[in-house]
Amino acid sequence: MGAVSEPLHKDLSKTTLQLTGMTCAACANRIEKGLNKLEGVQEATVNFALERASVTYDPKIITVPQMEDKIEKLGYGTAKETADLALTGMTCAACAAKIEKAVGKMPGVTSSTVNFAMETLRVEYNPGEVGIPDIQQRIEKLGYQAISKEEQKDPAEHREQAIRKQKAKLVISALLSLPLLWSMVSHFSFTSWIWMPELFMNPWFQLILATPVQFYIGKQFYVGAYKALRNKSANMDVLVSLGTSAAYFYSLYLTIDWAMAGANAHHGPSMYYETSAILITLVLLGKLFESLAKGRTSEAIKTLMGLQAKTAVVVRDGQELSIPVEQVLKGDVVIVKPGEKNSGGRRSAGRYFGRR
């Protein structure tokens, strides 16, 4: 089960720890006495049959990890589980650090490690106090998404699908932004010789082109900015949304003001629709390059990991045994024969002592 915490009143909490390693009632008594001696623990009872410890404590004085440390010092343990989650939505190392820190602070989570290159999260937790759905919900509140192994499709297929969507959005955004870029370039003195259709200077025409880029293509930035601000933080989505919105809505104000003034049907004031549209297009292009690079990096890491030896030959009781490398223990004598790979993935000869 792990640990289940529930509030009693504003000062005290109650948690249930799933114990391991007990062999008799004396073990239960020993753990019970050890927990009751801890400062901040009001009452601790151990059920040997269920292998559980129920503890009433003051969270301001003592924490669940401190109780688990005490149990380990007594020679026993608490049940924990490890899970790997695939993450989506991260754009930089700061995103990875934010997820790692937020998940690590959750009650029942003992460790949290995010690999930005592989887009994965490895978390060790007490299943009775927190579950995978709770961790996924916490990550979603941060503006990202976590997928468990059971829910996850083929990572390569999922990555290819995401890249295809990014390419489609980039093409649409680029096509809509091109006339706006054309109208902007023609304003420079050294490019005034470039022919430009008069329609491209029409404010209503520019508004029609810029609006889908701002709110359909750029929707992901608004969603990301909202989730970041809701969690009292800022990221690149906030900057993109703020900058493009300022250019778009100021240009919209100038367009309406120009229309109400009854100005010429084609030539309007100096507007900045191209600024918002081109900025979103360039950010999308950068994100596509990043996704392609991360995909190649992930494949390279997986290929490198595939070179690692899966088994090891150890000497136990005078016999050579072939076992999975995960079962090599500290003090084992591991034999690496000529031409074989060692646990580091290199070919060598000789023998060494296990250090696991």
Side-chain angles (χ1 to χ4, degrees):
M1 285 285 295
V4 180
S5 296
E6 55 185 65
L8 298 178
H9 49 77
K10 66 177 183 178
D11 295 325
L12 298 178
S13 294
K14 186 176 182 180
T15 188
T16 301
L17 301 170
Q18 189 71 34
L19 304 173
T20 60
M22 293 193 300
T23 58
C24 60
C27 299
N29 291 333
R30 185 180 180 190
I31 296 174
E32 188 173 296
K33 290 180 180 179
L35 291 174
N36 279 309
K37 289 180 180 179
L38 292 175
E39 184 181 2
V41 173
Q42 187 183 62
E43 182 183 9
T45 57
V46 176
N47 187 313
F48 172 65
L50 298 177
E51 295 187 322
R52 293 178 184 175
S54 298
V55 186
T56 303
Y57 67 102
D58 187 344
K60 296 180 180 179
I61 301 176
I62 191 171
T63 62
V64 173
Q66 290 175 323
M67 300 179 203
E68 293 175 340
D69 290 340
K70 178 61 177 178
I71 293 172
E72 289 180 4
K73 289 179 180 178
L74 293 173
Y76 308 97
T78 55
K80 293 184 179 69
E81 290 187 9
T82 302
D84 292 316
L85 302 176
L87 301 174
T88 59
M90 293 191 299
T91 58
C92 59
C95 299
K98 185 195 301 183
I99 295 174
E100 187 174 294
K101 185 177 181 181
V103 174
K105 287 183 176 181
M106 293 182 66
V109 174
T110 54
S111 68
S112 170
T113 306
V114 174
N115 188 318
F116 175 64
M118 297 292 292
E119 295 185 315
T120 58
L121 164 68
R122 168 158 289 190
V123 57
E124 186 181 76
Y125 64 99
N126 293 321
E129 188 171 1
V130 66
I132 294 300
D134 300 319
I135 297 173
Q136 291 175 313
Q137 186 177 7
R138 180 70 181 103
I139 294 173
E140 288 177 2
K141 287 183 178 179
L142 295 174
Y144 311 96
Q145 187 177 9
I147 306 172
S148 63
K149 282 188 175 181
E150 292 74 14
E151 303 170 334
Q152 187 180 8
K153 302 177 182 178
D154 180 16
E157 181 182 350
H158 182 271
R159 188 181 301 110
E160 287 297 326
Q161 185 179 2
I163 289 176
R164 285 196 296 269
K165 289 183 179 179
Q166 284 181 297
K167 287 181 177 178
K169 285 187 175 181
L170 177 61
V171 170
I172 295 173
S173 183
L175 291 176
L176 293 174
S177 301
L178 182 60
L180 299 174
L181 177 63
W182 193 341
S183 66
M184 180 189 72
V185 171
S186 65
H187 281 78
F188 300 120
S189 58
F190 59 90
T191 57
S192 57
W193 56 271
I194 298 177
W195 175 79
M196 182 191 63
E198 189 175 6
L199 177 64
F200 286 6
M201 292 302 297
N202 188 309
W204 295 117
F205 178 74
Q206 293 191 11
L207 174 63
I208 292 173
L209 293 178
T211 299
V213 177
Q214 185 70 34
F215 298 108
Y216 172 68
I217 305 297
K219 177 183 176 182
Q220 63 189 74
F221 301 114
Y222 284 105
V223 173
Y226 167 73
K227 291 181 177 180
L229 294 174
R230 186 179 61 183
N231 288 279
K232 300 179 180 179
S233 64
N235 57 11
M236 187 181 70
D237 292 332
V238 176
L239 297 177
V240 174
S241 300
L242 185 62
T244 59
S245 295
Y248 176 86
F249 285 109
Y250 179 64
S251 298
L252 179 61
Y253 163 76
L254 293 177
T255 300
I256 295 174
D257 183 65
W258 166 80
M260 294 180 66
N264 184 277
H266 290 287
H267 295 287
S270 299
M271 294 167 295
Y272 306 92
Y273 288 119
E274 76 283 350
T275 302
S276 62
I278 294 172
L279 180 57
I280 289 175
T281 303
L282 292 177
V283 173
L284 288 177
L285 179 62
K287 283 181 172 290
L288 177 60
F289 286 156
E290 181 185 36
S291 297
L292 293 173
K294 285 166 63 177
R296 289 193 293 267
T297 302
S298 298
E299 292 301 322
I301 292 175
K302 288 180 180 178
T303 302
L304 183 62
M305 292 174 64
L307 298 176
Q308 184 178 8
K310 303 297 187 297
T311 60
V313 179
V314 301
V315 178
R316 291 180 180 175
D317 299 327
Q319 295 182 342
E320 293 185 6
L321 303 175
S322 180
I323 62 174
V325 292
E326 294 82 6
Q327 297 180 11
V328 177
L329 304 175
K330 183 178 180 181
D332 279 342
V333 177
V334 181
I335 299 177
V336 182
K337 298 180 181 180
E340 288 186 344
K341 292 185 295 184
N342 61 24
S343 60
R346 298 182 298 248
R347 294 184 178 274
S348 61
R351 62 173 64 195
Y352 67 95
F353 291 91
R355 293 172 291 175
R356 294 181 65 84

